[in-house]
C-alpha cells in the first residue's frame, strides 16, 4: 500500500511561542518589565540578582524574581534575603525554562504590584536560547573567567540576547581577560548588542546596569527573540 | 540537551495532526532544522527513536533538511545566505544585519501515513 502524504507545516516551538505571547500580554497589562537572565553555570547570575533586587528596593521600586534550577532551592533562599518576592522553579532535570512553567509559577502572584520581574534561567548556554518567556529583554552574562570566544561557541544564545553583561570585572586583570576579543566576538554574533561590564561583588558598573533596567522599563522594547505575532513574518530582530 | 523533549513535542504534534486527518501509521517524517535553531540532528534522531516507541510514529524514518541562515541585507536590499552562524554580516558587502529571514525554525513539514489495516 502506498502511504499518503500529509502536509503539517508546523513549528515545534509554536506551543511555547503561543504561551510566551500570552505572558507578554499579561506582563504588559500589569505594567511589569521582565528580564530573562541567561548564562553558563557560575557566571554570577544569582549574586547579580541578589544585589539588583536589593538596590531596586532601596530605590523604592518593586522587583521580584523567578529562579530556575535543575535540582535545588538554594538560589531562591539566597534571593529572598533581599526582601523581594522570590519563587523557585525546580525543573527536575529539564535544562531550560519554558513559557508554560513561568505561567504556572505566577499563579497567585499580584503582578500589578510589581515593577520588575527577573527570571533567572537554568545555567546553560544552549537550550534556553530557543524558549521565549515573554520577556522584555534577554540578558546574557559572561564572566571574565570564561573564554573570550564563548559568543562564537554558542551563537544561538548570544545572537538571541538583547544585552550582554561581562561579569566579575574585578577579576579581569588577574585572569588576563582580553576585552577586545570579547567585544569582537559579541559584535560578530550579535551586531550592535548593548554591553555592560560589572562586578556585583564590588559594585563596579552596577549603576549603569540599573540605568539600563530603567531604560528598558521606560521604553518597553520588544525583545529580539520575541516570538512573531500569529501569521506574521519573523521577528526581524 | 533538550532534543528528547523536542522529540516528544514533535511526536505529540504529529499524532494530533494525523488523528485529525483520519489516523494511520506514520512511516516517514520530513523536518526542517534551521542552523540557528540550535538543534542537534543526531541527538534529535536518537530522541525521536526512543520517544516514538509505542506511538503511531514507531519506526518512522526521519528525513531532516538543514536550512542555512538567511539574513536580509539592508545595503544590498536582498536576502543573503550566511556561510556560518558566527558572523551576522552580509557576505557580499559586510553590512551587519540582525534581520533573520530563515534559520531559526524547527518545522514539521510533511508526514507519510499508511492506513491501518482494519482489525478482523
Amino acid at each position: 500500500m502506498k502511504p499518503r502524504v500529509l502536509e503539517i507545516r508546523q513549528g515545534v516551538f509554536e506551543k511555547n511561542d503561543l504561551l510566551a505571547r500570552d505572558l507578554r500580554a499579561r506582563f504588559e497589562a500589569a505594567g511589569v518589565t521582565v528580564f530573562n537572565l541567561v548564562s553558563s553555570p557560575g557566571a554570577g547570575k544569582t549574586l547579580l540578582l541578589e544585589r539588583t533586587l536589593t538596590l531596586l528596593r532601596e530605590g523604592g521600586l518593586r522587583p521580584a524574581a523567578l529562579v530556575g534550577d535543575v535540582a535545588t532551592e538554594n538560589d531562591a533562599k539566597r534571593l529572598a534575603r533581599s526582601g523581594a518576592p522570590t519563587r523557585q522553579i525546580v525543573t527536575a532535570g529539564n535544562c531550560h525554562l519554558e513559557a508554560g512553567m513561568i505561567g504556572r509559577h505566577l499563579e497567585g502572584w499580584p503582578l500589578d504590584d510589581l515593577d520588575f520581574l527577573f527570571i533567572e534561567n537554568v545555567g546553560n548556554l544552549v537550550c534556553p536560547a530557543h524558549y521565549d518567556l515573554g520577556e522584555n529583554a534577554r540578558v546574557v552574562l559572561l564572566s571574565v573567567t570564561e573564554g573570550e570566544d564563548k559568543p562564537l561557541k554558542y551563537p544561538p544564545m548570544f545572537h538571541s540576547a538583547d544585552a550582554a553583561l561581562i561579569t566579575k570585572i574585578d577579576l579581569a586583570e588577574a585572569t588576563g581577560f582580553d576585552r577586545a576579543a570579547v567585544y569582537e566576538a559579541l559584535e560578530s554574533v550579535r551586531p550592535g548588542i548593548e554591553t555592560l561590564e560589572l562586578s556585583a561583588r564590588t559594585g563596579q558598573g552596577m549603576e549603569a546596569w540599573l540605568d539600563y533596567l530603567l531604560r528598558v522599563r521606560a521604553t518597553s522594547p520588544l525583545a529580539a527573540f520575541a516570538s512573531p505575532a500569529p501569521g506574521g513574518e519573523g521577528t526581524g530582530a | 540537551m533538550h532534543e528528547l523533549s523536542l522529540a516528544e513535542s514533535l511526536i505529540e504534534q504529529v499524532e494530533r495532526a494525523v488523528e485529525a486527518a483520519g489516523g494511520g501509521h506514520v512511516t516517514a517524517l520530513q523536518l526542517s532544522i534551521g542552523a540557528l535553531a540550535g538543534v542537534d540532528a543526531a541527538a534529535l534522531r536518537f530522541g525521536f527513536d526512543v520517544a516514538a516507541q509505542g506511538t503511531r510514529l514507531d519506526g518512522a524514518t526521519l528525513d531532516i533538511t538543514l536550512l542555512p541562515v538567511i539574513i536580509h541585507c539592508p545595503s544590498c536590499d536582498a536576502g543573503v545566505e550566511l556561510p556560518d552562524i558566527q558572523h551576522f554580516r552580509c557576505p557580499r558587502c559586510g553590512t551587519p544585519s540582525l534581520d533573520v529571514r530563515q534559520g531559526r525554525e524547527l518545522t514539521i513539514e510533511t508526514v507519510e501515513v499508511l492506513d491501518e489495516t482494519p482489525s478482523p
Side-chain angles (χ1 to χ4, degrees), chain A residues 4 6 8-9 130 188 235 237, chain B residues 23 37 86 98 104 109 113:
Chain A
R4 63 198 157 94
L6 202 62
I8 305 224
R9 317 280 178 212
H130 312 287
S188 178
T235 59
Chain B
Q86 274 92 17
L98 290 171
R104 279 184 177 152
E109 302 288 358
V113 186

Side-chain angles (χ1 to χ4, degrees), chain B:
Chain B
M1 293 294 281
H2 57 316
E3 279 78 2
L4 181 60
S5 69
L6 286 177
E8 286 167 350
S9 330
L10 93 83
I11 288 165
E12 198 188 302
Q13 255 172 287
V14 170
E15 288 220 287
R16 235 181 294 129
V18 172
E19 267 155 42
H25 192 84
V26 177
T27 54
L29 177 58
Q30 282 76 41
L31 273 187
S32 306
I33 304 180
L36 207 51
V39 177
D40 182 81
L44 186 67
R45 278 181 197 285
F46 178 77
F48 177 81
D49 289 345
V50 173
Q53 284 171 21
T55 74
R56 62 172 78 242
L57 287 80
D58 200 338
T61 50
L62 211 51
D63 304 324
I64 294 176
T65 306
L66 299 173
L67 303 175
V69 173
I70 294 177
I71 56 167
H72 181 262
C73 171
S75 302
C76 303
D77 193 21
V80 284
E81 192 178 309
L82 298 186
D84 59 53
I85 57 170
Q86 274 92 17
H87 304 87
F88 281 81
R89 52 184 65 244
C90 176
R92 295 187 209 157
C93 71
T95 306
S97 171
L98 290 171
D99 189 350
V100 174
R101 299 291 171 95
Q102 176 188 289
R104 279 184 177 152
E105 52 281 90
L106 170 57
T107 311
I108 308 162
E109 302 288 358
T110 54
V111 295
E112 288 168 28
V113 186
L114 263 186
D115 290 326
E116 273 150 333
T117 38
S119 40

Side-chain angles (χ1 to χ4, degrees), chain A residues 10-193:
Chain A
Q10 276 178 24
V12 178
F13 294 114
E14 257 168 41
K15 193 172 125 193
N16 183 79
D17 289 349
L18 209 68
L19 293 169
R21 281 199 291 273
D22 288 349
L23 283 176
R24 188 163 280 118
R26 256 178 91 183
F27 293 146
E28 202 184 333
V32 57
T33 308
V34 182
F35 295 86
N36 179 4
L37 304 185
V38 292
S39 78
S40 48
K45 289 188 298 298
T46 310
L47 183 61
L48 172 71
L49 203 44
E50 204 178 328
R51 296 290 151 86
T52 304
L53 295 175
T54 304
L55 289 169
L56 287 172
R57 282 170 57 82
E58 283 170 9
L61 291 156
R62 299 165 302 173
L66 274 180
V67 191
D69 233 318
V70 174
T72 72
E73 301 210 353
N74 296 348
D75 286 355
K77 282 183 199 145
R78 249 176 90 184
L79 293 175
R81 281 184 281 177
S82 68
T86 302
R87 278 187 182 176
Q88 182 89 35
I89 304 177
V90 178
T91 63
N94 216 332
C95 52
H96 59 273
L97 294 177
E98 295 184 15
M101 301 177 190
I102 304 299
R104 284 194 295 280
H105 283 80
L106 288 178
E107 266 169 44
W109 238 9
L111 284 182
D112 290 337
D113 296 343
L114 298 178
D115 299 313
F116 290 98
L117 175 65
F118 295 90
I119 302 170
E120 182 183 335
N121 219 310
V122 179
N124 179 334
L125 280 177
V126 181
C127 313
H130 312 287
Y131 295 89
D132 182 7
L133 302 181
E135 68 262 29
N136 291 91
R138 182 176 294 185
V139 179
V140 62
L141 282 70
L142 174 67
S143 71
V144 298
T145 58
E146 299 173 64
E148 286 88 357
D149 58 350
K150 271 241 165 118
L152 300 175
K153 284 184 175 165
Y154 300 93
M157 178 59 93
F158 283 89
H159 179 80
S160 75
D162 297 282
L165 299 185
I166 300 172
T167 59
K168 308 188 188 179
I169 199 70
D170 53 317
L171 302 178
E173 215 162 302
T175 56
F177 175 66
D178 185 346
R179 181 174 271 111
V182 162
Y183 278 85
E184 197 186 317
L186 284 169
E187 186 61 27
S188 178
V189 173
R190 209 312 197 175
I193 190 167

